[in-house]
Structure formats: C-alpha cells, structure tokens
Amino acid sequence: MCQRILALAIAFVLVIVQAAGALDPPSLLQLDTWTFSQEDQDRLNAAHAVDLGPEIMTAIAKATGNLPIGTVRDFRADDLNADGICEIVVAVDVSGRGLVRDLITVSRNGGAYSCDTIPAYGGEIRLWGMDGKQMLVAMQPAYDLSRSDPLITYPRLFSWTGTKCEDVSQRTRPYYEDVFLPQIKSMMAEAEKVNVSTNIEDRHRIIIRVASLSHAAVKVNSFFDVPIVQKADIGAITEVLESLGASSRGNLDSQVAILLRNATTEAEAEQSRLAAMGD
C-alpha cells in the first residue's frame, strides 16, 4: 500500500514538473527569472510577434517605467551572454510603416527587469557568436537623416553585460574580417558589372549602393589600427565612384550628386591615409 502511494506521489510530482516545463510563451514571461531551457526558448521563438507582442511590451514597460510606443515587429529569445538568463531582443515599429530604428533588449532576474535600447536601422535581428556569447549586429546610420536622404548604414556590434548593451565593435575584429569584408568584396563585384549608361534610375541606385559601401568601409576601418578594408579595395571603390561622377555630370538628382561627391572625397582621403601607412 505504501509503495503504491509513493508511486502515485512520484507520478504526481512528474506531472507537475512536466507541466511547469511546458509553460506557454506568455506564461514564461511571467516568471521572476528567465532561466529558460532550450525548449522554452524554442517555444518563445516559434510564437508570432502579433500574439506575444503585448506581453513583451508589458515587460519593457515594467523595466523602463514607460509603455513604449509602437508594435512588436520581430523578436528573438536567446541567452546572449551565456549566464543562464535569457534575453528578449525586440524590434519595435514606432511608425506603423515597418520603420524600425532601434532594438530593445529586455531580461528578468529575481523579479528585477533589465532593459537597454541601441540604434539599429532596418529591424533585422542579427546575432553573431564569439567566445560562447551572442553579439548583436546593429546597423548604424552613416549620417543624420532627413526624409530625402538615402539610408546608408554600417554594422556595429554590441554585447549584453547582464544589465545593458555595450559597444564591442573594436573588440570583434573577426566579425569584420569573416563577415563584413567578404560582403564588401561581393557587393563591389556586383556593382562593377552593372551597366547604368542609359538608365538614370539605375545610375542613381548604383551610386547610392557604392557610396554606401564606401562609407561603411571607411567607417569600419576607423575602428582598428590595422585596416579591415585594404588599400586595393578602397582604390577599386574610389575608381568606381570617380567613373560614375565623370559619366554623370549634370544628369543626377541634386541629393544623389551631393552624396556621390562626398563619398568620392571620403574614399580618396581614405586611400591617401592607407598609402601613408604603407598598407
């Protein structure tokens, strides 16, 4: 009889444990500490933003004391700094038009929330792993934007400290060597193949694309004593910009013409700087 009671008690405990391990995504976010299993994280990441968005926004409001404006466009649950506590990275659309300018990271430990916001244009949540941790890849605007400016961005990397996001771009050289540089080379190879001699709209597009690549390369080079994008690649970008300028005189939208002129000047200066370094 005692053995049967013991067996029933064990079975009851197992049911309780299994039920606790199978909390639905909204219930998971109600826990005092977000020590989620991989299965918990998978369930969170499988949820739709429209369904889980209100609970995520509530967590952000509790962390900051202010209810954020907008709707959750996308989110990602992950233990960013490998400390056993899960974070939720959130892309919030404040415009109603799919325009995301920031990423919000929120977490909870012992009932206390931590939250931080970083600029990240485009709304895509990108993670890159190094030393067992996940870095946030956040696209930064190259210039102060007006409504007529093309969106030109470059990547910065941030790590989660447990309470906030820290810019670690200068400590993540492998990302720029392994991910950023091949992207620059590939996009430049494609840009050099485009024939824009007869179509002004195509010409505008290629100028914006090459100017974007040029500024991103110069900006990333500024992070490091030894440049990521070498003199030969900067030279190739400069040649394309100069060629576009020579063949487009008087035929460009004023904003695009200014962008091209500034990008060419910047690329030429970077090429001179690298030459003086002996690169």
Side-chain angles (χ1 to χ4, degrees), residues 76-131:
R76 171 81 176 267
D78 208 310
D79 181 3
L80 298 177
N81 60 337
D83 65 348
I85 308 297
C86 185
E87 287 75 47
I88 310 289
V89 183
V90 192
V92 177
D93 176 10
V94 300
S95 69
R97 297 179 286 110
L99 178 61
V100 178
R101 294 174 179 263
D102 303 292
L103 290 178
I104 302 172
T105 301
V106 61
S107 187
R108 194 179 192 191
N109 187 5
Y113 289 94
S114 296
C115 185
D116 199 8
T117 301
I118 58 173
Y121 276 66
E124 183 179 355
I125 299 174
R126 307 180 192 178
L127 301 180
W128 181 76
M130 187 178 78
D131 298 332

Side-chain angles (χ1 to χ4, degrees), residues 188-259:
M188 270 306 300
E190 290 300 315
E192 290 172 336
K193 296 176 184 177
V194 177
N195 182 356
V196 294
S197 59
T198 59
N199 188 314
I200 191 62
E201 291 184 359
D202 284 347
R203 186 180 294 271
H204 281 167
R205 278 193 290 270
I206 193 64
I207 287 172
I208 292 171
R209 186 186 309 169
V210 178
S212 299
L213 294 176
S214 177
H215 186 76
V218 173
K219 193 69 178 180
V220 167
N221 272 358
S222 73
F223 298 164
F224 305 100
D225 292 334
V226 178
I228 295 290
V229 186
Q230 303 295 312
K231 183 176 66 178
D233 294 316
I234 294 292
I237 294 173
T238 303
E239 287 181 9
V240 172
L241 289 168
E242 290 174 342
S243 176
L244 287 166
S247 61
S248 303
R249 299 188 187 282
N251 295 319
L252 297 176
D253 174 86
S254 60
Q255 288 294 112
V256 176
I258 292 170
L259 176 65

Side-chain angles (χ1 to χ4, degrees), residues 154-218:
Y154 64 95
R156 279 188 177 274
L157 271 68
F158 293 81
S159 70
W160 178 252
T161 67
T163 58
K164 64 180 182 178
C165 292
E166 178 184 7
D167 189 334
V168 292
S169 302
Q170 295 179 333
R171 304 202 298 269
T172 52
R173 184 180 181 93
Y175 168 83
Y176 294 99
E177 291 177 333
D178 298 341
V179 179
F180 175 77
L181 185 57
Q183 288 175 347
I184 287 283
K185 290 178 176 289
S186 175
M187 293 171 73
M188 270 306 300
E190 290 300 315
E192 290 172 336
K193 296 176 184 177
V194 177
N195 182 356
V196 294
S197 59
T198 59
N199 188 314
I200 191 62
E201 291 184 359
D202 284 347
R203 186 180 294 271
H204 281 167
R205 278 193 290 270
I206 193 64
I207 287 172
I208 292 171
R209 186 186 309 169
V210 178
S212 299
L213 294 176
S214 177
H215 186 76
V218 173

Side-chain angles (χ1 to χ4, degrees), residues 126-146:
R126 307 180 192 178
L127 301 180
W128 181 76
M130 187 178 78
D131 298 332
K133 301 179 181 180
Q134 295 295 319
M135 312 295 164
L136 290 168
V137 182
M139 303 307 293
Q140 309 291 294
Y143 309 106
D144 292 334
L145 298 175
S146 69

